[in-house]
Structures are given as structure tokens and as C-alpha cells.
Amino acid sequence: MKTKLTIAMIGCGRFADFFVPLFKAHPEVAKVYVCDIRGERAEDYSKRHNVEIIESFETALASPEVNAVAIFTERQKHGPMVIEALKAGKHVYSAVPCSISIDEIREIERLVRETRLTYSMGETGYYRAATLFCREKFAKGEFGNFVYAEAQYNHDIRNMEESFKSSGGDRWREYAGIPPMYYPTHSTSMILSSMPGVYATSVRALGYVSTERTDIYGTDGQNLYGNPFGNTAMLLTLSNGGIARVSENRNVGWKAPETYISQFYGTNAGYEFSVAKHYFAHWDSERPGKVKMNDVTERLTPPEVNKLVNTDFARAIQEIADGAGFFDFSPIQDGKRLPESFRGLHNGHNGTHHYIIDDFCKAAATGKLSPTNIWEVARYNIPGLIAHQSALQGGIVMDIPDLGVKPADWDVIDPYDFEYNQK
Ligand SMILES: NC(=O)c1ccc[n+]([C@@H]2O[C@H](COP(=O)([O-])OP(=O)(O)OC[C@H]3O[C@@H](n4cnc5c(N)ncnc54)[C@H](O)[C@@H]3O)[C@@H](O)[C@H]2O)c1
């Protein structure tokens, strides 16, 4: 039995703006409300997107008309708001991260298991072209046994200051200094979701004590977390015996694409990426001892950007660093499964926005699980929370708690179900 969704979007800041038109256009959505504690932001959204305002988060939770909320508030607020919304009986879409507290993630898992409400975290990393490519090759067995991967999310604080200031006011530094590893899901999701069922079992992390931005990172009260680190790198042991290195860098001289897998190796094949070029290599069956190199850039890059890569490489890498391709699909993200009504609508984060909104709406409407359900995203999020503890203790090895897998009788919607639109 399908239920049409009436969604209250909570938080009308910079990011949610991308998503109002997508929620509005989704065939499973009956109505969209917007809401912000800063009334002028909700007013602005209401005018530009032609949607009604709902007075407050609490009003939305109390409303029998609203059956879903989409949380787009600041990162440290998600956990408690998601818990409240599930307790109020609402389906929940949440921007990343899931939560900055393991106890809250456990509580979200408990509530979802008990209530069977939809929880979906909008993880852009799940649908990035490199992730889709590694997932496909892994599923086909082309990598062989997984050996080692590297992923990172480079987002220098210089590019986030304005955002933190706009909602944090005079106290913005308190929030801007959040430990980098409290926001690990873009990077971890790219590696882990390439190998369904695989999770991290232990971690060792090292932090870079930022000497450049002591106004934000430090232990003497600038940030609420007593966090000294501008960057943190973690080494994970995975449940399949492989190793992953994940770095979360907020004080770094690098830009775009922000999140990427730089290496993903198996015993039989490997994938590598840097700035503009994607390569897939495998042992060459016709030339013993040699490796066959394949340039797979065309499939993993928006066509306009790829054209530039092939004609003017120097200009291409500059334009990619400046954001070229950010709004576009790559050929591997063929969009076939997406609702017709999404066609031509604004996309973002390298062609991923349409997919993450479609996942939530389909899951909530059908009662199935989203691919980025709580069991999956707990495995993306918790390793970072433990990693920060490891880094604070000089890199001790720590076990990572695992919340296990989804209930056996609860199916996940098929991300490749091209027939959905015809049903
Ligand atoms: N690639 C990605 O997945 C990605 C990219 C950007 C941002 N994000 C996430 O999206 C979230 C929002 O980011 P942003 O840049 O828009 O932040 P923002 O600070 O611009 O917006 C947050 C908004 O929430 C509002 N708000 C806070 N508490 C509220 C409450 N109780 N009720 C109603 N409104 C409330 C604030 O007033 C503000 O307008 C963050 O958690 C961020 O981590 C994810």
C-alpha cells in the first residue's frame, strides 16, 4: 500500500534550497512545507518555491497532515531532531551526518526497528560516479578480493566560513570547529557502499593539530568540542580483511572534486583517480605479468567536462577545481530509474541529488528501506566518531561498534529498478 507524502522541510539554509523543487516534483509527494527558526528564510523559500510555511518543527511533528520531515538543520542538530521526529511517528529524511553521537545513532536504529518508519540519510557519496563504478566492478567480481582503498573529503574551512557565519552568528567558531571525523560519511560511504555488507571493525586515527586556524581549532574553548584537529586521517580494518584509509581535511590546500576515491584495489584489478582522469587496470589475460590499463574517464565524467578534458587538459583541471560538472550527471548515472518529473530539474554534488531524494520518497511511500537506511549509514558514521577518540589518544587502535544488519523481512528498494516509473 502506497501513501502519498506530506513533507515538512526543516531548515531553509543554503543546502535545502536545492531540494525543494525535487521533493515538490516527486510523484509520491502530495505537499511540501518549509520551516526555519529564522522566519525570513522560510519566507524567502516560500516565495521562490511557491510552498507554504509551517510554523515550527514542533508544529510539524504535531500535525496529523504531515507524515514526513526532511531535516536540513546544522550538522550537530540532526541526531536529536531525527529521534524526536521518529517518536512523533514521522518518516525522516536527514542531511548528513546521521549524528555526532553513537548513543543517538543507536536510538535512531532502535526507533526505526520498532516503528518501521522510513529513515534515509541523503548521502551524496552513495551515488557518485566513482562509487557506482567500483560497486559495479566489485559486484561483477572484476576486482577479485578487496585489498585497499583510499577516500577523502577535502573541504577547507575557508570555503565553509560564510555558511557557518550565516547561521552561527557571533558564535560561529563554536560550531565550525567540529571534529572533521564527526562528518566522515561522504568518504566512508564511497568505499563501503562499493562492497555491500562490508563494514569497518577497528580504527587507528591521527589528527593534524591546526596551527593556522587557532581561531577555530583548539582546546581552549573556541569550539564546543575541544577539538584541536583541522584534519584527521584514519586507517580502518574492514570485515572482509581489507584496509581503508579515509581522510577528512578542513585545513588543506586542495579543492574539488571534494569527495573522491583516489584508489580502490583488489587482487585482480584496481581503480585510480586524480582531478580529471579515472583509470581501471587489471591483469592482462593475453600478456602474462602485464597489466591492461583502461581510461574510464568518459563514463565517469559529465560529457561537457569530458570534452574539455580531451581538448584542453590544463583548462579542464582548473574548471573542475572551480566546480565544473558539479550539477551534471555522468554517463554511469544514467538517470533511467528516476521519475520523469525530475527531468531538467537542478541537480548537484556531481549528479547525486536526484537519486537521494528519489530513494527517500520511494522508500517512504512503499514501506521498503532506502539503500541509505540506518543500518547502512551507522556503518558510514560510527567509524569517524571512534576515529576522533583514537586521534585524541595519539592514534590508539580502537574497536568499532556495529549495529548489525536490517531486519530480514524488510526489503531495500532496488536502486537499479528502471521499471519503477511504469508501475
Ligand atoms: N553533500 C552533502 O550531503 C551536503 C552538502 C552541504 C550541506 N550538507 C548538510 O546539510 C545541512 C544544512 O547545511 P546548510 O549549509 O544549509 O546549513 P545552514 O546553516 O545554511 O542552514 C541550516 C538552517 O537550519 C535552520 N534551523 C536550525 N534549527 C532549526 C529548527 N529547530 N527549526 C527550523 N529551522 C532550524 C537554521 O536557521 C538555518 O537556516 C548540514 O547538516 C550539512 O551538513 C550536506
Side-chain angles (χ1 to χ4, degrees):
M1 242 285 278
K2 284 191 186 178
T3 325
K4 285 262 181 188
L5 304 174
T6 294
I7 301 179
M9 294 181 65
I10 313 296
C12 302
R14 295 175 172 231
F15 191 48
D17 214 15
F18 286 106
F19 297 99
V20 189
L22 294 173
F23 278 126
K24 273 181 73 181
H26 199 282
E28 304 297 356
V29 174
K31 184 162 182 176
V32 175
Y33 286 103
V34 290
C35 169
D36 201 295
I37 43 174
R38 292 170 172 84
E40 70 284 3
R41 293 189 181 176
E43 288 286 347
D44 171 53
Y45 267 47
S46 170
K47 281 197 196 103
R48 285 191 295 104
H49 296 295
N50 193 23
V51 284
E52 280 180 43
I53 296 173
I54 197 158
E55 193 185 316
S56 66
F57 178 53
E58 292 72 24
T59 317
L61 296 194
S63 162
E65 187 200 357
V66 171
N67 56 7
V69 294
I71 309 288
F72 285 95
T73 56
E74 297 91 319
R75 55 204 70 189
Q76 73 280 4
K77 293 186 176 176
H78 301 172
M81 294 182 85
V82 170
I83 289 168
E84 270 191 70
L86 290 168
K87 283 184 175 165
K90 310 300 180 192
H91 298 299
V92 182
Y93 173 93
S94 171
V96 310
C98 176
S99 167
I100 62 170
S101 143
I102 295 175
D103 285 346
E104 286 169 7
I105 297 174
R106 285 188 192 282
E107 179 64 356
I108 295 169
E109 189 271 339
R110 187 187 71 77
L111 286 165
V112 171
R113 191 163 21 87
E114 251 177 47
T115 61
R116 294 254 171 172
L117 289 162
T118 296
Y119 167 85
S120 184
M121 190 184 82
E123 181 46 75
T124 44
Y126 191 86
Y127 285 108
R128 281 187 183 262
T131 315
L132 295 178
F133 181 81
C134 290
R135 197 180 299 153
E136 175 192 301
K137 294 289 183 194
F138 186 80
K140 287 181 175 164
E142 292 184 38
F143 279 112
N145 291 328
F146 172 75
V147 175
Y148 176 80
E150 298 189 345
Q152 46 275 307
Y153 173 43
N154 295 322
H155 201 158
D156 192 273
I157 193 71
R158 273 168 279 208
N159 280 311
M160 291 194 278
E161 263 189 51
E162 288 314 310
S163 181
F164 279 115
K165 280 177 189 161
S166 77
S167 292
D170 292 345
R171 298 176 57 193
W172 71 276
R173 289 186 177 82
E174 292 180 16
Y175 302 100
I178 192 167
M181 279 294 166
Y182 282 15
Y183 200 96
T185 62
H186 293 330
S187 318
T188 50
S189 67
M190 294 187 80
I191 294 175
L192 294 176
S193 77
S194 297
M195 300 178 283
V198 173
Y199 57 98
T201 56
S202 74
V203 63
R204 180 189 181 196
L206 297 173
Y208 169 75
V209 175
S210 178
T211 50
E212 294 80 3
R213 295 306 302 262
T214 47
D215 60 324
I216 298 170
Y217 300 109
T219 47
D220 52 0
Q222 302 91 310
N223 69 71
L224 288 177
Y225 311 91
N227 169 43
F229 306 132
N231 308 312
T232 306
M234 63 177 167
L235 210 48
L236 296 160
T237 309
L238 304 187
S239 58
N240 61 356
I243 298 160
R245 189 275 294 153
V246 164
S247 299
E248 294 296 326
N249 297 324
R250 311 288 177 259
N251 192 186
V252 68
W254 198 257
K255 173 85 173 69
E258 295 163 357
T259 328
Y260 56 98
I261 301 176
S262 42
Q263 301 176 357
F264 190 104
Y265 300 142
T267 46
N268 291 342
Y271 160 87
E272 285 198 4
F273 169 76
S274 179
V275 189
K277 286 299 231 178
H278 302 262
Y279 298 104
F280 182 64
H282 52 83
W283 289 110
D284 191 339
S285 53
E286 285 162 16
R287 298 184 309 144
K290 304 277 187 195
V291 159
K292 171 114 179 69
M293 293 299 299
N294 302 278
D295 182 344
V296 294
T297 306
E298 188 177 348
R299 230 183 130 210
L300 276 68
T301 307
E304 283 305 308
V305 179
N306 190 49
K307 211 186 289 174
L308 197 57
V309 168
N310 289 330
T311 52
D312 187 345
F313 190 73
R315 201 177 125 208
I317 56 172
Q318 185 59 59
E319 292 201 5
I320 289 168
D322 293 342
F326 183 81
F327 297 107
D328 307 318
F329 285 127
S330 298
I332 196 169
Q333 300 157 312
D334 64 14
K336 277 187 196 158
R337 59 159 257 204
L338 296 170
E340 197 51 41
S341 52
F342 275 15
R343 201 179 288 267
L345 293 184
H346 208 276
N347 211 329
H349 287 86
N350 299 88
T352 60
H353 287 186
H354 290 200
Y355 286 99
I356 58 181
I357 296 305
D358 186 44
D359 277 351
F360 170 74
C361 295
K362 274 182 190 165
T366 59
K368 288 190 175 182
L369 286 168
S370 156
T372 51
N373 57 66
I374 186 60
W375 293 277
E376 183 72 13
V377 307
R379 288 174 165 180
Y380 306 160
N381 204 137
I382 292 175
L385 303 180
I386 300 288
H388 183 62
Q389 298 307 319
S390 164
L392 286 175
Q393 294 169 75
I396 61 168
V397 178
M398 295 179 75
D399 288 339
I400 299 173
D402 181 49
L403 305 195
V405 294
K406 69 173 186 70
D409 62 348
W410 203 354
D411 291 337
V412 180
I413 57 164
D414 179 358
Y416 302 101
D417 183 3
F418 306 137
E419 302 305 317
Y420 181 84
N421 291 326
Q422 281 84 55
K423 279 178 194 160

